[in-house]
Amino acid sequence: MRQNVWMLSAALTLTLMASTGYAQLEQLGKGHLSGSFESYTQLYRKDTAIGATPPQDKFGSNNFFKLDYTYKQFSAGIQYEAYLPAIQGFPFVSTKLNTTEGKLVNRYFRYSGKQLSVQVGDFYEQFGSGLVFRSWENRQIGINNALEGANIQVQPVPFLKLKFVYGRPRKYFDYANAVVRGADAEIDLNTLVKAPDDAAVHFTAGGSYVSRFQSYTGNMEDFPATVNAWAGRLAMDAGSFSLNAEYVRKSSDPHLVNQYDESTGKALLVNTTYTGRNWGANLSIRSLSNMDFRAEREVEGTVLPVNYIPSLTKQHDYLTTNIYVYNPQVAGETGGQADVFVNLGSSKLSLNYAQYKALKTAGKLFQQGDMAYFRDGSLEWKKKWNNQWQSIAAYHYVFYNKSIVEGGNYENIKAHIGLVNILYKFAAKKSARLELQHLYTEEDKGNWAAAVAEFAFAPLWSFYLSDLYNYGKTDLHYYNFGGSFMKNGARFSLAYGRQRAGLFCVGGVCRYVPAASGFTASFTLSFNN
């Protein structure tokens, strides 16, 4: 199929050249070129105090180079990646038996017309909220499940948008031994019924179908080599109030992660938002049953997801609030989170509460069982005192079922976290920031204290030093210090310190990172022509 895709891509390119003619090819030089380079490198040292064991060459480096070129309705792009080798804990397996490796991994060609868009090569796409299908890239977590194939989008009439995808998901530097195909339709109901443009309420509805095929060579009869998933969604926008709901059903999908459970999967997600004059509120509720959906049956961790299920909890920015973070339990969970924001002029209050529990009965959505997985309640107060001083004060209560979230046999953890964050601008582009944090718990490793000091000399320089201290049980310091320089789209940073083992989450998606110690350097560059 790969050869066919590139033959099709080449044919489309030649068609473009033939249709534009030589004179018009000269105009290609007037297109838009953009790109980026990103490098993340670690130099490890042995640190027995925190259990950090370096790899043999004590070096890891992840590198990404991306180019995109657009000329009128046509665009093309490439992405080159090099792991020299991959940093510790990063989910990459070299095709050269753990040696360093680089490869041109993403290539695409796209035509984007007013009512028709065609892309061949490697592409990212999402249906609805992603609960049934999403191909995407998250470099920090190590997810890139781009499909190599074709993505066609059509709008045959003003009220209807259609998407069709077909391809092989990317797996490290190769492709999965499976194909994913799907279709999505979205209907603008107001346009369909010719409602006035200033209608008080706007409705859209959608439906998706996704199919994954992986050949089965075992001896079980009627084993489902093909897994089908369907989704329906509805969205309502009524000015200050909005409501979105999506329901997904997945056919029998036995694989390694669900221990070859042959039951069907299902999920329901509801999001509501209300915005008042000086306040706003969000409510998200979600229930899942057997919704781990992957391109291959034998993979686990963050490898080859077909759908997208992030944790719907508060995303944290502080050292202590990131110790006990939630990883969604796609085998079965029910819960949600609520946010309330209040603007009091020079200060703002925000309240968040999230809770997830086990299902009482597998397959019965929203029937809560007795086992709690996670709770996080927080109150945050932001205050701007004057043009020089700003502050944040917050309190968090966390219940963390470590046995469920991380696996193993642990006692449940109840933690109280308090923190203050003070910013002082002592010149027009110069500031200093201080964080003081404390986590109290009688379980797990006991109490933690943390402090962060940061000095920024905008827009070029910033420096920081921090320490996360576990006292009473391990008496370990996780210290870090470093700085960064940024100019003309380029940013370089260098740091030295310790990395705590545990879950590392970005955008609600997590992976486990091992303890590490040493130097870390990063460089990013982006450009547009």
Side-chain angles (χ1 to χ4, degrees):
M1 188 191 76
R2 188 178 179 184
Q3 290 182 343
N4 294 335
V5 169
W6 285 106
M7 290 179 64
L8 178 59
S9 177
L12 287 172
T13 304
L14 292 173
T15 302
L16 167 64
M17 291 181 174
S19 64
T20 55
Y22 177 78
Q24 289 180 321
L25 282 177
E26 293 183 343
Q27 299 297 317
L28 289 174
K30 298 180 180 179
H32 178 76
L33 178 66
S34 63
S36 64
F37 175 71
E38 180 178 341
S39 178
Y40 185 84
T41 301
Q42 287 187 312
L43 179 62
Y44 303 98
R45 73 177 184 91
K46 188 174 182 179
D47 191 340
T48 55
I50 62 171
T53 302
Q56 284 189 341
D57 65 0
K58 301 180 181 180
F59 185 83
S61 183
N62 296 354
N63 302 273
F64 307 85
F65 178 65
K66 190 174 188 300
L67 278 178
D68 295 284
Y69 179 79
T70 302
Y71 178 72
K72 295 185 177 179
Q73 296 98 342
F74 301 94
S75 58
I78 58 171
Q79 179 163 305
Y80 179 84
E81 299 178 13
Y83 300 94
L84 308 171
I87 60 174
Q88 271 191 314
F90 190 81
F92 173 77
V93 177
S94 169
T95 58
K96 297 182 179 178
L97 301 178
N98 296 325
T99 61
T100 61
E101 187 172 4
K103 191 174 182 180
L104 190 64
V105 288
N106 281 18
R107 295 147 292 190
Y108 74 89
F109 177 85
R110 179 171 61 222
Y111 166 78
S112 299
K114 188 174 182 180
Q115 295 177 299
L116 172 67
S117 170
V118 178
Q119 181 170 344
V120 294
D122 301 280
F123 62 87
Y124 305 106
E125 189 52 83
Q126 177 171 323
F127 293 169
S129 69
L131 200 56
V132 67
F133 170 71
R134 187 187 194 193
S135 61
W136 61 304
E137 180 185 34
N138 185 323
R139 293 176 180 172
Q140 293 175 289
I141 297 299
I143 293 177
N144 190 330
N145 62 341
L147 289 188
E148 186 208 40
N151 180 1
I152 300 173
Q153 301 184 22
V154 187
Q155 188 171 8
V157 290
F159 63 84
L160 178 63
K161 295 180 181 177
L162 301 172
K163 297 179 182 177
F164 304 94
V165 299
Y166 184 97
R168 299 184 302 175
R170 177 184 163 186
K171 182 182 181 184
Y172 310 125
F173 273 176
D174 204 340
Y175 291 91
N177 182 28
V179 295
V180 173
R181 50 256 173 144
D184 180 81
E186 184 166 288
I187 302 173
D188 186 325
L189 296 175
N190 284 47
T191 303
L192 176 64
V193 301
K194 299 181 179 178
D197 293 339
D198 58 350
V201 184
H202 195 113
F203 291 96
T204 58
S208 309
Y209 167 72
V210 177
S211 171
R212 182 226 71 197
F213 170 76
Q214 182 188 12
S215 177
Y216 175 72
T217 58
N219 53 13
M220 293 179 61
E221 294 185 1
D222 300 325
F223 190 91
T226 298
V227 177
N228 299 305
W230 303 265
R233 61 183 185 272
L234 179 67
M236 182 188 72
D237 188 347
S240 58
F241 177 76
S242 66
L243 171 67
N244 294 271
E246 185 170 23
Y247 176 77
V248 179
R249 187 82 181 229
K250 180 167 68 80
S251 66
S252 176
D253 180 22
H255 53 68
L256 176 65
V257 175
N258 69 6
Q259 300 178 344
Y260 296 91
D261 183 353
E262 297 184 14
S263 64
T264 60
K266 60 181 69 174
L268 179 62
L269 170 66
V270 180
N271 293 313
T272 64
T273 301
Y274 178 80
T275 304
R277 184 176 178 183
N278 294 313
W279 69 286
N282 300 318
L283 174 64
S284 300
I285 56 175
R286 185 178 68 190
S287 192
L288 309 168
S289 178
N290 198 13
M291 277 304 296
D292 194 298
F293 191 15
R294 295 171 189 265
E296 290 184 356
R297 290 183 289 270
E298 299 81 12
V299 297
E300 54 187 341
T302 57
V303 182
L304 287 176
V306 173
N307 57 350
Y308 171 64
I309 302 180
S311 63
L312 298 180
T313 60
K314 187 177 180 65
Q315 303 301 302
H316 296 295
D317 300 319
Y318 298 100
L319 293 171
T320 51
T321 56
N322 273 317
I323 293 177
Y324 301 119
V325 291
Y326 187 59
N327 199 19
Q329 302 303 301
V330 292
E333 68 169 27
T334 184
Q337 71 165 338
D339 290 286
V340 178
F341 308 94
V342 182
N343 189 342
L344 301 173
S346 62
S347 65
K348 297 178 181 178
L349 283 175
S350 63
L351 176 67
N352 173 273
Y353 181 75
Q355 172 179 296
Y356 290 90
K357 300 184 73 173
L359 292 174
K360 184 177 182 179
T361 305
K364 302 292 185 183
L365 300 182
F366 296 113
Q367 288 190 4
Q368 289 191 352
D370 295 329
M371 180 180 291
Y373 290 165
F374 182 78
R375 296 190 190 97
D376 181 3
S378 65
L379 176 63
E380 184 177 86
W381 177 51
K382 294 183 179 179
K383 173 71 175 178
K384 183 176 181 179
W385 300 91
N386 50 46
N387 290 332
Q388 290 183 305
W389 292 93
Q390 298 178 35
S391 66
I392 299 174
Y395 166 78
H396 293 253
Y397 168 76
V398 178
F399 171 86
Y400 187 74
N401 189 327
K402 188 173 181 178
S403 302
I404 292 295
V405 178
E406 298 184 18
N409 186 19
Y410 304 98
E411 60 182 337
N412 293 332
I413 300 165
K414 299 173 184 176
H416 302 267
I417 304 169
L419 63 90
V420 292
N421 181 347
I422 301 170
L423 176 68
Y424 173 59
K425 295 182 179 179
F426 53 92
K429 296 182 178 180
K430 300 176 182 178
S431 63
R433 190 171 64 85
L434 175 66
E435 291 178 17
L436 297 174
Q437 310 168 38
H438 187 266
L439 182 152
Y440 167 80
T441 181
E442 296 180 348
E443 294 84 29
D444 200 30
K445 295 180 180 178
N447 300 330
W448 297 78
V452 179
E454 184 179 74
F455 304 92
F457 304 89
L460 300 178
W461 296 95
S462 70
F463 303 93
Y464 77 94
L465 55 97
S466 68
D467 186 29
L468 176 63
Y469 177 42
N470 179 232
Y471 66 94
K473 291 193 177 181
T474 68
D475 291 328
L476 287 174
H477 289 271
Y478 292 85
Y479 50 81
N480 279 277
F481 58 89
S484 65
F485 175 78
M486 183 167 61
K487 187 175 184 180
N488 297 334
R491 182 180 186 276
F492 174 75
S493 69
L494 180 66
Y496 178 81
R498 285 172 164 175
Q499 172 183 282
R500 181 181 57 85
L503 287 177
F504 170 65
C505 304
V506 177
V509 180
C510 307
R511 69 176 172 90
Y512 181 82
V513 296
S517 183
F519 288 95
T520 300
S522 67
F523 177 71
T524 58
L525 171 68
S526 59
F527 60 91
N528 286 286
N529 182 22

